[in-house]
Amino acid sequence: MALWSRVNAGFIVNEDDSGDKIIFNGGNNDDTAEHFLKFQDGTGDADPQPKFLTAAAAGSGDYSKENCYATDSGWVMRPGSASQGNDNPDADPEILVCSRGLKSNGTGDPTVNQITIGHLTSKTAYYPDGGTFTGVASSTLGDIVVYLYFNEPVTVIGTPRIELTDASDLTGQFGGYSATMLTYRSSVSNLDAGIVAFQLAASVDTQTSAVDDNTLGIPSGASWVSSTVGQITKRSGGVIRDESDNVLVFNDGASTEAPMSFGEIVLEDGDNAELLIRASENATMTVS
């Protein structure tokens, strides 16, 4: 685990051939060992999670990478997942590996390491569980929901998006760009556990005649789409709410006031999440 993750601020420059390490020479108090800080870029380690975890999409196992994320206590399992013995998503997470300040100092920018596809009541119905989606001439909002699993808790501002593609290799643009851009769905996301949901819009034709090779999905190396109306950031502060979770309203002097419409006010903005998804395989589903 790296000790820090950002290199765009500060003044330590390492340009020698020591393997991207800052070496501390031992020798004090009979300590002859050398110690080092290892360089880490902004994307975090390639696979920093505990090594005994399985990739659920490619196999099986309750202790899977998709359900593991970083907190400042260490690597934990998502509450409500199969290994936890209950379905309460608000329970305290199980700590697998203790590491003080892990989320703040050791994971880099938030990164997606797993994708599942389901709907509003099941996160995995179509992938990896393998259920077949029945296409319709005109979809209902949320017929298809893609879930991205970040390696730490995140904050969503506005409405980021991700594109649903088709064809056996997921290189097609089914239905046209605007029709298949899935938008952020807050009600089935779990930002405390790093799960961000994206829903298919209403009135999209998902019949087999509209889907190349009867296959829809998200490529393993795709990107979620950031824009002026949507961001996903590192969870570094709180969100302004009152105890009843009422909406914050700005008083602009008008006779009537309306709640803000562009997202939440975050006490301290964090680093933007990495756009590139780093899943182990494509997330695909069959359309009948």
Side-chain angles (χ1 to χ4, degrees), residues 152-216:
E152 61 179 277
V154 293
T155 293
V156 175
I157 302 172
T159 53
R161 300 168 295 170
I162 190 168
E163 184 179 8
L164 190 66
T165 58
D166 69 2
S168 57
D169 56 2
L170 298 184
T171 58
Q173 189 182 86
F174 118 85
Y177 181 78
S178 60
T180 55
M181 290 301 295
L182 311 185
T183 56
Y184 169 59
R185 176 72 177 249
S186 62
S187 63
V188 290
S189 296
N190 184 353
L191 303 185
D192 292 339
I195 303 174
V196 182
F198 298 82
Q199 65 184 355
L200 182 68
S203 304
V204 176
D205 184 358
T206 58
Q207 298 173 105
T208 54
S209 58
V211 179
D212 191 7
D213 293 337
N214 293 8
T215 303
L216 292 172

Side-chain angles (χ1 to χ4, degrees), residues 41-58:
D41 66 18
T43 63
D45 293 334
D47 189 12
Q49 294 173 307
K51 302 303 181 186
F52 62 83
L53 299 173
T54 62

Side-chain angles (χ1 to χ4, degrees), residues 9-217:
F11 53 86
I12 295 176
V13 178
N14 188 39
E15 295 181 343
D16 62 19
D17 59 358
S18 61
D20 291 328
K21 300 174 187 174
I22 301 173
I23 306 294
F24 294 89
N25 190 21
N28 294 328
N29 299 321
D30 297 323
D31 179 9
T32 59
E34 289 186 337
H35 306 279
F36 59 86
L37 299 178
K38 185 177 180 182
F39 173 84
Q40 175 181 315
D41 66 18
T43 63
D45 293 334
D47 189 12
Q49 294 173 307
K51 302 303 181 186
F52 62 83
L53 299 173
T54 62
S60 62
D62 293 342
Y63 282 89
S64 59
K65 290 182 179 181
E66 75 173 64
N67 289 316
C68 180
Y69 63 98
T71 71
D72 276 334
S73 296
W75 290 107
V76 304
M77 291 300 290
R78 286 189 171 87
S81 58
S83 65
Q84 303 304 290
N86 66 75
D87 58 1
N88 179 11
D90 297 319
D92 292 333
E94 176 188 3
I95 299 176
L96 301 179
V97 178
C98 293
S99 181
R100 184 175 181 181
L102 175 64
K103 177 180 72 69
S104 298
N105 304 317
T107 61
D109 298 335
T111 303
V112 175
N113 54 22
Q114 191 76 16
I115 312 165
T116 63
I117 306 176
H119 41 69
L120 297 178
T121 57
S122 170
K123 289 181 173 64
T124 63
Y126 306 124
Y127 175 84
D129 289 353
T132 298
F133 174 77
T134 303
V136 293
S138 180
S139 64
T140 300
L141 184 67
D143 273 358
I144 297 173
V145 181
V146 168
Y147 297 86
L148 300 187
Y149 296 75
F150 286 84
N151 62 348
E152 61 179 277
V154 293
T155 293
V156 175
I157 302 172
T159 53
R161 300 168 295 170
I162 190 168
E163 184 179 8
L164 190 66
T165 58
D166 69 2
S168 57
D169 56 2
L170 298 184
T171 58
Q173 189 182 86
F174 118 85
Y177 181 78
S178 60
T180 55
M181 290 301 295
L182 311 185
T183 56
Y184 169 59
R185 176 72 177 249
S186 62
S187 63
V188 290
S189 296
N190 184 353
L191 303 185
D192 292 339
I195 303 174
V196 182
F198 298 82
Q199 65 184 355
L200 182 68
S203 304
V204 176
D205 184 358
T206 58
Q207 298 173 105
T208 54
S209 58
V211 179
D212 191 7
D213 293 337
N214 293 8
T215 303
L216 292 172

